[in-house]
Amino acid sequence: MGEKTTPESNRRALLQAAATAPLLGGLGIVPTALAAEMGRSEKPLRAAFSNAGLQATWCAQGKAAAEYWGRLFNVDVTWFDGELNATRQRGAIDNMASQRWDFVAIQAFGIGTLTAPVRKMIEAGIPVIDMDTLIAPLEQINVHSFLAPDNEFMGASVTEALMQAIGGEGTIIMTQGALGHTGAQGRARGFESVVRRYPKVEVLDTTPGDWDVTKVARIWDTHLTKYPKISAAYFHNDDMALAAYNVMRAKGRTDIKIGGCDAMPPALQAVQDGRMHATVRNPSCRIHGGAIMAGVAAVVAGEKTGEGGIPKHVITDGPVVTRANAQGMAWMQKQFLI
């Protein structure tokens, strides 16, 4: 006698099948039986996605991952670019909220900037998956789930790697992301939790770069003129780290130990060739692909939030990346797995 089919057994089958789907999908093979196991909708689902801004490589990779997993699950993904600007993203989400979707996934540029249109969609019965940074505190808005890394861990782990690299003494600068971004807030707390344990290390500056590489280049041109000795630098994402490195190289200051966040392919190469000391993976593919899976499970299998369903907050951590594991991380990203 066959196993009785339940929502939980369907969910397990979906996850087990999805584990092999990237390899099959990479070969252009999605057999009918596998698609059925995955909980793939018979009719195309309509999903709306937005993240902070496609100028950021992390966001662009997330879009590619969402579209890849969307094809596997029969989801048509429509993108609303945040453009690294809270006002423009709000206009895009207002537009999104005026339409009907099967589910929605959003990474807010800043906390509290999108609350009203997101509530409108939730009240219309649309599952909203929050990605990477809080749309609003979870007790204030009934999102389906919040998929995000532990940003304090990210900030602390890279900062600790930098402290070890400089022998626990010297000077350091932190270049933050957007101050209203809860991920950036967590990374700053992680940085501060480590630095306070090293009394021989002086923090010279914590000016935010707002994820904007042009702005970061200007900031670091000033830093390098103002500070004759900078032992290390921690950046809230790799794009900013590499933009600053280009300024350092132009001024002959490549002795500065650099740490970043996100572990994007250019940073993986920089770690391997020594331009960066370390980074940590914020798993864009896991977060954006996971949002597809969560939305499909909500619509097709009726999965709810809470006990027996998807947790309200799903931790999506990735590892610290050094030369030892950079190549493997690059391969995993090519498969949209992390």
Side-chain angles (χ1 to χ4, degrees):
M1 189 172 182
E3 181 183 359
K4 183 179 178 182
T5 300
T6 66
E8 177 62 21
S9 64
N10 284 341
R11 188 176 68 86
R12 287 198 304 270
L14 183 153
L15 294 172
Q16 290 164 0
T20 60
L23 300 179
L24 294 169
L27 296 172
I29 302 169
V30 185
T32 303
L34 176 60
E37 286 256 328
M38 289 170 65
R40 191 174 190 267
S41 178
E42 292 183 5
K43 68 179 183 70
L45 300 180
R46 295 182 69 245
F49 272 65
S50 178
N51 56 23
L54 295 176
Q55 303 99 306
T57 59
W58 187 90
C59 293
Q61 185 185 64
K63 180 176 184 288
E67 291 169 345
Y68 174 81
W69 284 94
R71 287 191 294 273
L72 291 179
F73 282 85
N74 199 17
V75 178
D76 291 333
V77 176
T78 300
W79 211 268
F80 294 79
D81 187 7
E83 301 184 57
L84 297 183
N85 182 284
T87 301
R88 286 197 285 271
Q89 188 181 39
R90 174 57 186 264
I93 303 306
D94 283 336
N95 181 15
M96 181 193 291
S98 71
Q99 303 175 55
R100 180 67 197 179
W101 309 96
D102 290 299
F103 66 92
V104 162
I106 297 170
Q107 177 207 25
F109 183 73
I111 188 170
T113 59
L114 306 175
T115 307
V118 168
R119 279 187 176 144
K120 178 180 177 181
M121 289 186 281
I122 293 170
E123 289 166 3
I126 300 171
V128 176
I129 296 97
D130 191 348
M131 302 186 297
D132 184 61
T133 186
L134 287 169
I135 295 168
L138 293 179
E139 65 273 13
Q140 295 179 18
I141 192 165
N142 190 28
V143 294
H144 186 65
S145 188
F146 174 46
L147 277 61
D150 181 340
N151 284 284
E152 290 193 36
F153 159 77
M154 293 173 71
S157 60
V158 174
T159 305
E160 180 61 37
L162 292 173
M163 292 297 103
Q164 295 300 317
I166 65 174
E169 58 182 276
T171 58
I172 190 168
I173 288 174
M174 173 173 62
T175 299
Q176 303 187 71
L179 295 182
H181 184 286
T182 59
Q185 294 166 7
R187 291 170 205 183
R189 288 193 298 271
F191 170 86
E192 291 158 1
S193 72
V194 171
V195 168
R196 72 170 62 105
R197 293 192 283 105
Y198 290 88
K200 294 182 180 180
V201 173
E202 179 187 1
V203 178
L204 299 174
D205 190 272
T206 61
T207 300
D210 295 328
W211 319 118
D212 184 330
V213 295
T214 303
K215 181 175 182 178
V216 168
R218 290 196 302 268
I219 290 169
W220 269 87
D221 187 70
T222 300
H223 287 341
L224 294 171
T225 300
K226 183 176 181 180
Y227 301 112
K229 176 60 179 175
I230 304 170
S231 307
Y234 168 54
F235 298 84
H236 283 190
N237 79 357
D238 296 327
D239 292 353
M240 296 193 297
L242 292 173
Y245 173 81
N246 289 336
V247 181
M248 295 174 195
R249 182 178 59 187
K251 290 183 174 289
R253 300 282 296 275
T254 56
D255 59 320
I256 300 169
K257 299 293 185 183
I258 296 175
C261 279
D262 293 343
M264 295 299 298
L268 298 179
Q269 185 58 51
V271 167
Q272 288 180 278
D273 64 31
R275 286 174 290 142
M276 288 180 64
H277 178 69
T279 183
V280 61
R281 181 58 177 160
N282 181 3
S284 181
C285 303
R286 183 179 288 169
I287 290 169
H288 289 79
I292 290 283
M293 295 178 69
V296 170
V299 175
V300 175
E303 183 174 59
K304 304 298 184 185
T305 304
E307 188 174 351
I310 190 168
K312 180 66 78 173
H313 184 189
V314 177
I315 299 292
T316 59
D317 278 347
V320 175
V321 180
T322 62
R323 286 182 178 180
N325 62 347
Q327 287 186 331
M329 178 60 59
W331 184 88
M332 292 282 280
Q333 288 184 41
K334 286 180 182 178
Q335 316 310 317
F336 298 110
L337 290 174
I338 193 166

